[in-house]
Amino acid sequence: MKINEITENIKIAFEAMRVNKLRSLLASLGVVIGISFVILMGWVLSGLDQALEDTFNIIGTDMLYIDKWEWAGGRNWKKMRQRKNITYDQATEFCEKIKSAELAIPNAREFGYKIKYKNEEYQGMSFIGTKWEHSMTPAGATLIGRHFTQFEDDIGSNVIVLGYKVHQALLNDGDPVGQYVKIEGRKFLVIGVIKKQGTMLFDFVDNQCFMPIKAFQSVFGRSGRSVSIAIKAGSIEYLDEIRAESEGLMRQIRNIKPGEENDFSINETKAFESTIEVLRLSVWGVGIGMTVLSFMVGMIGIMNIMFVSVTERTKEIGIRKAVGAKKRTIWIQFIVESAILSFFGAIIAFVGCSALVYLTATFLPKIVPATAFLSPVLPYELLLIASFVSIFVGMLAGVIPAVRAANLDPVEALRREN
Amino acid sequence: MELKEENRNGTTLIEIEHIAKIYRMGTEYVHALRDITLQINKNDYLAIMGPSGSGKSTLMNIIGCLDTPTKGKYLFKEMDVSEMTDNDLASIRNKEIGFVFQTFNLLSRSTSLKNVELPLIYGGFGASARHEKAMKAMENVGLGDRVNHKPNELSGGQRQRVAVARALVTEPSIILADEPTGNLDSKTGLEIMNLFNELWKAGNTIIVVTHEEEVARFAKRIIKLRDGLIEHDSVNHHQRALTEEAQP
Ligand SMILES: Nc1ncnc2c1ncn2[C@@H]1O[C@H](COP(=O)(O)OP(=O)(O)OP(=O)(O)O)[C@@H](O)[C@H]1O
Ligand SMILES: [Mg+2]
C-alpha cells in the first residue's frame, strides 16, 4: 500500500509540474543556484585536494628539505637573500654525517640554460645535479628508461634523465633513450624520462632534468649557487628527531654561535598544507555563505509555489479526502511534490554545471595553466550529496504547505469553485 | 433496546440520535441541525427534501462522515462515529460510502477511468485490480467506451455517471447523492435517477438530497427538513415505477 501511495504521489507531482512548467522552473531557480554552488564548490575543493595530494606524493610526506629559502615564505624575503649560500662541501658534509635519516642527498640547481636535440632547442627548464639515490625518492621515479647508477654518479658520467615536459618538447614522444642532447656545448646521453608529476602547485617538476652532480659541476661550475639537501625520513614518525638532528648538525657545519638565528630553513610539506588549508577555508567560507543564502531563497521560492499549489488545488484535496484520502496521504502528496520540484532544480543544476565544468576544465587551463588541476567531470559523490540535499531542502520547504493541505476541512474544500 | 433488536435482523445501517450541528460565526451561532433522530436500514432509498438552508447538505455530510456532529450520537454499522479519529473517518468514507455531488467533483486533469480508480488507490488496491474494478464500474454506468475521456470531454450527464461509477467502485454500504440532478437538464436528470433506481434494485442503499418532487418520487421514503428539524418522515406511496428507458 505504501509503495502504491508513493508511486501515485510521484505521478501526481509530475502531472502538476507538467501543467505548470514555467512556474515550476521559476520556483526551483533558487535551488538550481544553490545546488550549483554546492557542486562547483565541491568540484574546486576536490580538485584542490587532489592537487595537494599529488604534490605531497611528489615531495613526499616523509621528506625534509634544507634550503637557503623558506618555502612557506613566512619570513622576510630580503633577510633570506642575505643568508650565505649552502655550499656543495657543506651539503656533502651534512649528508655524510646525518645519522637518523634514511637518505640525504644534495641537489644543485641551475636555471636559464638551453638544451638542444638535433635541431630542436628548449629553454625554461632547470638542471639539477644530484646523487644516484635520487632515484629512490618519489620525485625520481622514471617513466621511460632508468635513473643513473651509483657508478655513473661516482665517475660523473655525462648522462641525463629528462623531465616529462622536456621530453615532450624535444622529442615529441619519440624514444629518447640512447639519444644525445647538448647542454652548454657538451654532449649528454639520455638514459630516461621522469614520470609526469606536474600539479597546480608544482608545475615546474616536469621541467627538470637530472644528472650526476659531478657532471653538473663540470658544466656549470662548482660554486656560486646554494645547494639544497633532500632528506628522506623513511616515516613521518621520525621527522621530529631528524629535524632536531639536522638543525644541530647544520648549525655546527655553518658555524652558527649559540643564540644566533639559523641561516637556513628546514622545509617540509606541512608548509603547503597550511597554505592550502587557508585556501580551502576561504573557498568553503564564501561557498557556504552563498549556498546557505541561495538555499534560503530556493526554499522560500518552493514554499511559496507550494502554498499557491495548495490554494489552487483545494477542491482537488476535498475530492481526494471525500473518497478516502487520509491526512497523512495528502501530506505525503505535497511533500513528495515539493521534493520532486526541488530535485528537478538539482537536475537542471547538474546538467548546467556538467557543461560548465567540462568547458572550464578543457579550455581554462590553456589560458591559465594554474587551473590544470580542475577535473572535466563532476565527482559522482558530489551529485549524490547534491541530490540528497535538494530533496531534503524540498521536503523542508514543503512541510508547512503540506500540513496546511492535510488539515483542510473536506466540506470547506469541496465548497470551493475551482 | 430497540436498536439491538433491529440489528439482530441485520438491517440497520445507520442510527442517528439527537444530532445537532452548530456553527459559530463570530459571536453568533448557526443551528444548521437542531435535533435529528433517524434510522436508516439496508436497501433503504431515502430522499431528503426541504427548503434551502434547512440543513440537508449538513446532514448528508455528517451521514457521509465528511463532517462530525456537534452533539448527539451517530452509529454507523454499530460503530460510534463521534469517537472516531480523522483516519478512521477517512477509511469509512473510502470503504463504506460513495458520494455523488451536484457539481460532479471530478479531477479535471485525470481521465474518467483514473477518476473512478481514485477511491481504490486510497483503498490500497494494486494497479491491475484497480483497472479491472474501475472498468467494470464504468461499464455499469454505460460508459465503457468513454474511459479515456477527461471530464471536459464529456457531457454533464456523462460526468455525473462517472461520479456514480466512482461512488460504486468500492462497493460501499451506502451511496449519498447531494442534488445529483441539480446541474442537469430534466431528461439527463431522469437518466441518472434511473441509474440510482437500478442500483437500489440491485440491493444498494441510497440517500438523495433534492429540491425536486420529480426526483424525490423515485425514493421509497421521504424526509422533509425545516430549520434543522425533521418535519416529515414517511414512506413514499407514490414511488415512481421504472421508466421505459430503465426497463431491461
Ligand atoms: N461552514 C458553515 N459555517 C456557518 N454556517 C454554515 C456552514 N455550513 C452551513 N452553514 C449554515 O447551515 C445551514 C444549513 O446549511 P446546508 O448547506 O445544510 O443547507 P441545505 O439544506 O443544503 O441548503 P441548499 O438547499 O441551499 O443546499 C445554513 O443556514 C447555512 O448557512
Ligand atoms: Mg445543500
Side-chain angles (χ1 to χ4, degrees):
Chain A
M1 161 156 191
K2 284 266 171 63
I3 297 292
N4 240 334
E5 232 171 67
I6 298 283
T7 51
E8 204 58 37
N9 279 327
I10 290 173
K11 277 188 212 156
I12 295 167
F14 275 115
E15 174 63 18
M17 276 171 57
R18 196 183 61 76
V19 173
N20 289 306
K21 285 189 206 77
L22 186 63
R23 198 174 79 183
S24 304
L25 187 72
L26 291 177
S28 60
L29 213 58
V31 173
V32 173
I33 296 168
I35 291 291
S36 297
F37 271 124
V38 173
I39 293 175
L40 294 178
M41 196 170 69
W43 172 60
V44 169
L45 287 178
S46 72
L48 218 52
D49 282 348
Q50 193 56 52
L52 186 67
E53 204 185 307
D54 292 350
T55 305
F56 285 175
N57 287 342
I58 300 164
I59 308 169
T61 41
D62 68 334
M63 298 288 288
L64 293 174
Y65 292 83
I66 299 181
D67 209 327
K68 177 176 167 183
W69 308 96
E70 175 141 339
W71 290 354
R75 251 170 263 179
N76 196 325
W77 187 74
K78 268 187 188 161
K79 207 168 161 185
M80 281 192 280
R81 238 179 88 147
Q82 285 161 7
R83 287 172 170 178
K84 277 183 284 176
N85 285 340
I86 299 172
T87 65
Y88 176 63
D89 290 338
Q90 286 174 342
T92 311
E93 187 184 346
F94 179 93
C95 293
E96 277 164 9
K97 285 187 177 167
I98 183 112
K99 287 193 194 73
S100 50
E102 184 184 304
L103 206 68
I105 44 174
N107 281 325
R109 178 186 297 271
E110 275 301 339
F111 187 81
Y113 294 92
K114 282 177 193 157
I115 185 166
K116 288 180 191 168
Y117 170 71
K118 290 181 180 163
N119 294 326
E120 299 291 332
E121 225 179 66
Y122 187 64
Q123 202 174 3
M125 85 299 209
S126 46
F127 294 101
I128 294 175
T130 186
K131 303 288 287 178
W132 69 273
E133 290 100 325
H134 180 259
S135 64
M136 292 152 73
T137 65
T142 51
L143 174 73
I144 307 170
R146 59 175 181 85
H147 215 292
F148 53 82
T149 61
Q150 186 172 8
F151 177 72
E152 287 164 332
D153 186 12
D154 285 346
I155 64 166
S157 298
N158 281 0
V159 290
I160 189 162
V161 184
L162 302 179
Y164 183 81
K165 273 195 179 169
V166 181
H167 171 223
Q168 293 290 312
L170 287 183
L171 286 121
N172 196 14
D173 260 342
D175 185 8
V177 176
Q179 304 291 328
Y180 283 92
V181 291
K182 268 190 174 174
I183 304 156
E184 291 291 284
R186 291 181 204 224
K187 267 168 90 176
F188 273 79
L189 175 65
V190 179
I191 54 171
V193 176
I194 298 285
K195 261 190 198 155
K196 177 168 166 48
Q197 294 167 319
T199 66
M200 166 191 63
L201 294 165
F202 283 83
D203 195 31
F204 66 85
V205 292
D206 292 328
N207 248 336
Q208 303 181 123
C209 296
F210 299 88
M211 58 180 79
I213 198 154
K214 282 182 187 152
F216 178 91
Q217 285 170 339
S218 68
V219 177
F220 302 108
R222 208 167 180 278
S223 57
R225 72 185 71 81
S226 187
V227 176
S228 77
I229 303 161
I231 304 164
K232 190 175 191 314
S235 166
I236 353 179
E237 295 155 47
Y238 309 140
L239 280 178
D240 286 337
E241 185 193 339
I242 294 169
R243 197 183 301 105
E245 194 200 339
S246 299
E247 188 176 359
L249 185 57
M250 205 59 191
R251 285 178 71 93
Q252 184 201 319
I253 291 171
R254 307 258 288 174
N255 276 323
I256 303 167
K257 293 182 187 76
E260 268 179 41
E261 246 184 81
N262 286 346
D263 65 350
F264 57 91
S265 292
I266 302 176
N267 298 302
E268 57 189 297
T269 51
K270 273 216 186 88
F272 293 95
E273 237 164 313
S274 59
T275 321
I276 290 283
E277 206 45 46
V278 172
L279 204 57
R280 275 179 68 87
L281 283 178
S282 47
V283 172
W284 268 112
V286 174
I288 289 280
M290 303 281 251
T291 307
V292 168
L293 205 72
S294 46
F295 273 132
M296 294 286 275
V297 174
M299 268 179 60
I300 292 169
I302 287 187
M303 200 186 296
N304 181 50
I305 226 69
M306 290 310 293
F307 273 129
V308 172
S309 181
V310 171
T311 308
E312 274 183 358
R313 288 154 68 193
T314 299
K315 180 96 171 192
E316 176 193 319
I317 295 162
I319 294 170
R320 290 180 186 278
K321 285 194 155 193
V323 301
K326 297 189 166 88
K327 273 189 181 183
R328 191 199 61 201
T329 314
I330 300 291
W331 188 81
I332 292 174
Q333 178 188 327
F334 281 89
I335 289 283
V336 166
E337 186 169 327
S338 186
I340 287 181
L341 198 61
S342 182
F343 182 59
F344 166 75
I347 301 261
I348 294 177
F350 292 166
V351 174
C353 288
S354 296
L356 187 72
V357 157
Y358 179 78
L359 291 177
T360 307
T362 313
F363 295 110
L364 189 62
K366 291 183 180 154
I367 308 160
V368 189
T371 56
F373 71 96
L374 294 170
S375 149
V377 284
L378 291 170
Y380 76 95
E381 308 99 284
L382 211 56
L383 299 188
L384 216 62
I385 292 169
S387 299
F388 281 124
V389 168
S390 73
I391 288 170
F392 178 72
V393 164
M395 288 171 74
L396 211 61
V399 167
I400 302 173
V403 166
R404 180 188 276 190
N407 285 338
L408 278 176
D409 174 37
V411 177
E412 287 291 327
L414 282 168
R415 247 206 286 273
R416 292 294 176 85
E417 283 307 313
N418 52 18
Chain B
M1 284 167 76
E2 320 144 340
L3 182 67
K4 286 213 169 139
E5 244 166 74
E6 294 271 13
N7 281 344
R8 210 176 298 144
N9 305 334
T11 55
T12 302
L13 197 60
I14 284 168
E15 187 73 31
I16 284 172
E17 285 176 62
H18 304 296
I19 267 184
K21 180 75 185 181
I22 301 159
Y23 291 107
R24 205 185 139 166
M25 305 276 287
T27 55
E28 276 182 52
Y29 291 91
V30 180
H31 292 259
L33 296 175
R34 287 173 194 278
D35 184 3
I36 304 282
T37 298
L38 185 66
Q39 185 179 310
I40 297 164
N41 297 325
K42 211 156 176 277
N43 201 213
D44 248 353
Y45 190 170
L46 191 70
I48 300 178
M49 300 192 72
S52 185
S54 58
K56 303 184 295 293
S57 295
T58 306
L59 179 58
M60 184 70 108
N61 290 336
I62 288 174
I63 292 174
C65 295
L66 271 176
D67 211 347
T68 47
T70 320
K71 281 188 217 160
K73 197 167 184 186
Y74 174 18
L75 299 178
F76 184 94
K77 281 187 163 178
E78 292 184 74
M79 297 176 285
D80 193 345
V81 172
S82 40
E83 282 175 4
M84 285 187 184
T85 63
D86 282 349
N87 271 355
D88 295 335
L89 292 176
S91 112
I92 294 240
R93 289 198 296 270
N94 182 247
K95 293 183 177 59
E96 305 283 356
I97 291 163
F99 285 104
V100 178
F101 301 94
Q102 178 175 355
T103 53
F104 319 132
N105 284 347
L106 298 172
L107 297 181
S108 55
R109 289 191 215 119
S110 306
T111 63
S112 47
L113 191 71
K114 278 280 162 201
N115 267 288
V116 176
E117 281 187 27
L118 197 62
L120 299 173
I121 290 173
Y122 297 127
F125 289 88
S128 61
R130 252 155 42 196
H131 185 83
E132 198 179 311
K133 281 172 184 279
M135 280 302 289
K136 224 170 102 194
M138 284 294 280
E139 276 157 19
N140 272 350
V141 299
L143 287 178
D145 56 342
R146 292 287 190 280
V147 288
N148 290 322
H149 290 235
K150 292 194 175 165
N152 63 359
E153 296 158 355
L154 296 170
S155 72
Q158 287 170 331
R159 282 183 220 183
Q160 197 60 302
R161 280 165 189 265
V162 174
V164 172
R166 183 181 63 189
L168 284 176
V169 76
T170 55
E171 297 168 28
S173 301
I174 189 165
I175 291 169
L176 302 180
D178 193 347
E179 310 262 13
T181 60
N183 277 18
L184 303 174
D185 61 44
S186 52
K187 183 173 168 288
T188 326
L190 214 59
E191 279 169 29
I192 294 295
M193 292 321 292
N194 279 325
L195 194 56
F196 280 131
N197 222 332
E198 280 175 51
L199 293 173
W200 172 61
K201 292 191 93 188
N204 282 288
T205 311
I206 297 170
I207 304 181
V208 177
V209 166
T210 185
H211 281 113
E212 301 165 58
E213 292 287 346
E214 274 299 292
V215 171
R217 279 181 64 186
F218 283 84
K220 192 171 76 170
R221 177 182 168 195
I222 298 176
I223 287 179
K224 288 197 171 144
L225 289 188
R226 181 177 291 276
D227 287 336
L229 288 168
I230 294 179
E231 196 184 39
H232 262 296
D233 182 352
S234 58
V235 173
N236 178 15
H237 296 294
H238 311 286
Q239 188 176 20
R240 185 166 168 161
L242 296 179
T243 62
E244 297 89 284
E245 288 138 291
Q247 296 283 10

